[in-house]
């Protein structure tokens, strides 16, 4: 066990990445209550919302209301995703602790997602990163499609290294290496992470895995073997990707926590309270939680 980190930090992306593609409107009050429940469960890093055009992502049209309504805790880092300088300027009055910018390791995905090339996407984010850092706001970057793309297929690690290098050059302080469509397997996952680690330290790289092919926990373990100790996950397995047909949600935070606790790795998270948070949002959406761990424990509670 000595090769694994003794403690792991999880960013719950459920309130933003998890809910952004829901067709039915989720009221701001529900999102605010979800954030509060995640905090009560011990989450100390939460991706709360995104300041994007409501025309493109209607579910996030209430970003300002959500950020205003959250009862902020000093020990919690609240992140928001911003797609451009306009989004950052909208977010700034709400004092995010961190902003998230994103770039793809796939040219085709970049064009489909944000209508520009990889290089152009980085150029767009350069003034955003500069403004955020000038304001004392931490900047995290997400490298999507790091192992596979719905349009290009397998993505070579060299492409991940390119995006990591470009992000580093414009001042992005941390990169998440994301398997956006969930096609990754452990060795591919490690190669993608190793590519990012050529430009970032182990303390500034995280993993973000979708469970489309049931590989997310295996990929998490593969990342742990490299010493990665920061991961994104989504309560109740919320989320998908509108640009990746059939891609299921992010790995459930409950499932990752169960894995880590079973390995003796600390998270600071109360699994039972986390399950309750997942039930809260799942009930609102009118469907069962997607977390296998939550389903098993909920069945035990009934029994």
């Amino acid at each position: 066990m000595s090769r694994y980190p003794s403690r792991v930090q999880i960013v719950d992306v459920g309130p933003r990445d998890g809910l952004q593609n829901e067709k039915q409107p989720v009221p701001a009050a529900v999102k605010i209550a979800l954030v509060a429940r995640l905090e009560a469960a011990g989450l100390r890093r939460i991706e709360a919302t995104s300041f994007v055009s409501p025309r493109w992502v209607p579910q996030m049209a209430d970003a300002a209301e959500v950020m205003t309504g959250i009862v902020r805790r000093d020990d919690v880092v609240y992140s928001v995703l911003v797609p451009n300088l306009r989004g950052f300027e909208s977010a700034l009055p709400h004092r995010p602790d961190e902003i998230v910018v994103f770039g793809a390791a796939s040219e085709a995905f970049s064009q489909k997602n944000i209508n520009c090339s990889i290089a152009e996407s980085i150029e767009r984010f350069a003034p955003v990163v500069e403004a955020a850092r000038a304001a004392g706001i931490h900047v995290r970057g997400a490298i999507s499609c790091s192992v596979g793309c719905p349009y290009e297929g397998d993505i070579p690690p060299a492409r991940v290294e390119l995006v990591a290098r470009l992000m580093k050059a414009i001042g992005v302080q941390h990169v998440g290496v994301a398997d956006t469509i969930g096609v990754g397997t452990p060795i591919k996952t490690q190669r993608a992470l190793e590519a990012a680690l050529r430009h970032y330290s182990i303390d500034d790289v995280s993993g973000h895995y979708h469970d489309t092919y049931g590989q997310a926990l295996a990929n998490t373990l593969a990342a742990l073997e490299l010493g990665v100790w920061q991961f994104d996950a989504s309560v109740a397995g919320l989320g998908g990707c509108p640009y990746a047909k059939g891609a299921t949600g992010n790995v459930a935070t409950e499932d990752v926590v169960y894995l880590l606790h079973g390995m003796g790795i600390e998270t600071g998270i109360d699994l039972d309270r986390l399950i309750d948070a997942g039930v809260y949002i799942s009930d609102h959406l009118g469907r069962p939680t997607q977390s296998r761990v939550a389903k098993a424990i909920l069945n035990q509670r009934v029994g």
Side-chain angles (χ1 to χ4, degrees), residues 103-127:
S106 155
E107 286 289 357
F109 191 85
S110 184
Q111 291 288 353
K112 290 274 188 179
N113 194 4
I114 51 177
N115 301 309
C116 66
S117 68
I118 292 172
E120 288 168 341
S121 72
I122 300 298
E123 287 176 18
R124 261 186 215 177
F125 283 124

Side-chain angles (χ1 to χ4, degrees), residues 62-80:
D62 57 5
E65 187 179 353
V66 169
M67 289 300 287
T68 300
I70 291 171
V71 179
R72 302 280 285 265
R73 292 177 51 132
D74 292 339
D75 59 347
V76 174
V77 172
Y78 300 92
S79 305
V80 301

Side-chain angles (χ1 to χ4, degrees), residues 3-5 186-187 189-195 197 202 220-229:
R3 61 179 172 165
Y4 297 116
I187 299 303
T189 295
Q190 289 184 336
R191 287 173 179 160
L193 288 166
E194 287 166 348
L197 286 165
I202 197 70
T220 300
L221 183 61
L224 289 167
E225 288 175 348
L226 292 183
V228 173
W229 58 275

Side-chain angles (χ1 to χ4, degrees), residues 232-272:
D232 294 350
S234 181
V235 65
L238 296 173
C241 179
Y243 303 96
K245 187 177 180 181
T248 49
N250 298 287
V251 64
T253 311
E254 299 93 322
D255 296 1
V256 176
V257 169
Y258 182 85
L259 168 72
L260 295 170
H261 289 182
M263 296 173 66
I265 297 173
E266 295 178 19
T267 64
I269 295 170
D270 182 319
L271 181 56
D272 282 313

Side-chain angles (χ1 to χ4, degrees), residues 92-287:
L92 189 57
H94 302 284
R95 302 179 296 108
D97 300 302
E98 178 181 72
I99 65 160
V100 183
V101 298
F102 52 90
S106 155
E107 286 289 357
F109 191 85
S110 184
Q111 291 288 353
K112 290 274 188 179
N113 194 4
I114 51 177
N115 301 309
C116 66
S117 68
I118 292 172
E120 288 168 341
S121 72
I122 300 298
E123 287 176 18
R124 261 186 215 177
F125 283 124
V128 179
V129 176
E130 183 180 5
R133 295 198 59 174
I137 299 171
H138 190 262
V139 181
R140 177 160 55 98
I143 304 176
S144 58
C145 291
S146 63
V147 293
C149 167
Y151 313 110
E152 292 185 23
D154 287 349
I155 296 297
R159 202 83 65 76
V160 178
E161 183 180 2
L162 167 67
V163 180
R165 176 170 59 79
L166 293 173
M167 284 191 169
K168 185 76 170 182
I170 64 169
V172 173
Q173 294 161 282
H174 176 107
V175 290
V177 182
D179 180 12
T180 308
I181 59 171
V183 296
T185 48
I187 299 303
K188 290 180 180 178
T189 295
Q190 289 184 336
R191 287 173 179 160
L193 288 166
E194 287 166 348
L197 286 165
R198 293 191 179 100
H199 300 283
Y200 286 87
S201 76
I202 197 70
D203 293 333
D204 295 318
V205 171
S206 56
H208 177 117
Y209 307 120
H210 284 232
D211 207 30
T212 315
Y213 288 82
Q215 302 297 298
L217 291 179
N219 294 337
T220 300
L221 183 61
L224 289 167
E225 288 175 348
L226 292 183
V228 173
W229 58 275
Q230 297 174 84
F231 296 90
D232 294 350
S234 181
V235 65
L238 296 173
C241 179
Y243 303 96
K245 187 177 180 181
T248 49
N250 298 287
V251 64
T253 311
E254 299 93 322
D255 296 1
V256 176
V257 169
Y258 182 85
L259 168 72
L260 295 170
H261 289 182
M263 296 173 66
I265 297 173
E266 295 178 19
T267 64
I269 295 170
D270 182 319
L271 181 56
D272 282 313
R273 298 187 82 170
L274 178 62
I275 289 169
D276 292 341
V279 168
Y280 167 78
I281 189 62
S282 298
D283 284 350
H284 177 81
L285 295 171
R287 60 173 184 261

